[in-house]
Amino acid sequence: AQKVTQAQTEISVVEKEDVTLDCVYETRDTTYYLFWYKQPPSGELVFLIRRNSFDEQNEISGRYSWNFQKSTSSFNFTITASQVVDSAVYFCALSEVYSGGGADGLTFGKGTHLIIQP
Amino acid sequence: KAGVTQTPRYLIKTRGQQVTLSCSPISGHRSVSWYQQTPGQGLQFLFEYFSETQRNKGNFPGRFSGRQFSNSRSEMNVSTLELGDSALYLCASSLSGQGAGTEAFFGQGTRLTVV
């Protein structure tokens, strides 16, 4: 069975600090997708990034970067020079892909509540 | 481009009643998935519809059902409501569905309170 663990329930940092959100996953499949979503107080989940299991390249998008390591089953997310607007709940998610091409829905971690203080 | 629209945004129902929630996906998207979010269980997958067919189902009782129409709009129904059904129900729309690993766009959700 698939599982996503976000051990950090809440992180509080001062603006401009760098912060890393951890995500560890479990899956028996060799083909899967990993995602990060942001949930602001408005409630909707905002897509941040998708990675497939065959692509271990790290990615940087502005102040955001992601470190995918299959050897440790981790997909960590770093925000550089954090800003107050980054305050939200962040979710890591996993989707396994069947051999026939279908997939279960997203399995989410419990989320990390990130608080950026001014 | 209009986003995912969920109606209503808030709902209060009495235990034992039934409720129907609606989701209009992004134009052109054929896959609609539903998720339940509670403080205790977090985000849990309910089911996915693709081209009017239920493609996948999560581990929820039969009281939770859904359907998708030819225009890809989807409804979710919960019968015989229980207090534990109080949650934020999120709908996600995507082009090809979860199997293709495509990006899912979420609506703002329907906050259901069962009293």
Side-chain angles (χ1 to χ4, degrees), chain B residues 70-81:
Chain B
S70 57
N71 62 358
S72 292
R73 188 178 72 86
S74 176
E75 287 182 348
M76 190 193 99
N77 186 75
V78 188
S79 62
T80 319
L81 284 165

Side-chain angles (χ1 to χ4, degrees), chain B residues 34-50:
Chain B
W34 288 89
Y35 292 83
Q36 181 196 64
Q37 185 176 23
T38 59
Q41 299 300 316
L43 278 154
Q44 293 184 287
F45 171 68
L46 281 155
F47 30 65
E48 181 195 7
Y49 284 87
F50 185 86

Side-chain angles (χ1 to χ4, degrees), chain B:
Chain B
K1 187 172 177 181
V4 180
T5 304
Q6 290 188 247
T7 56
R9 289 291 312 281
Y10 302 92
L11 209 47
I12 300 176
K13 288 286 188 179
T14 304
R15 200 168 38 173
Q17 286 186 314
Q18 75 164 20
V19 67
T20 299
L21 312 182
S22 178
C23 172
S24 292
I26 291 171
S27 178
H29 285 193
R30 297 165 66 189
S31 167
V32 173
S33 298
W34 288 89
Y35 292 83
Q36 181 196 64
Q37 185 176 23
T38 59
Q41 299 300 316
L43 278 154
Q44 293 184 287
F45 171 68
L46 281 155
F47 30 65
E48 181 195 7
Y49 284 87
F50 185 86
S51 294
E52 301 179 64
T53 302
Q54 186 181 88
R55 194 153 68 172
N56 293 298
K57 191 177 190 308
N59 190 23
F60 277 82
R63 299 185 298 106
F64 291 82
S65 63
R67 59 177 175 169
Q68 187 179 34
F69 302 95
S70 57
N71 62 358
S72 292
R73 188 178 72 86
S74 176
E75 287 182 348
M76 190 193 99
N77 186 75
V78 188
S79 62
T80 319
L81 284 165
E82 300 177 359
L83 296 178
D85 297 333
S86 295
L88 179 66
Y89 290 89
L90 291 162
C91 162
S93 146
S94 67
L95 207 53
S96 316
Q98 305 295 160
T102 53
E103 176 183 349
F105 295 84
F106 283 80
Q108 289 189 298
T110 293
R111 172 77 62 188
L112 172 65
T113 302
V114 182
V115 297

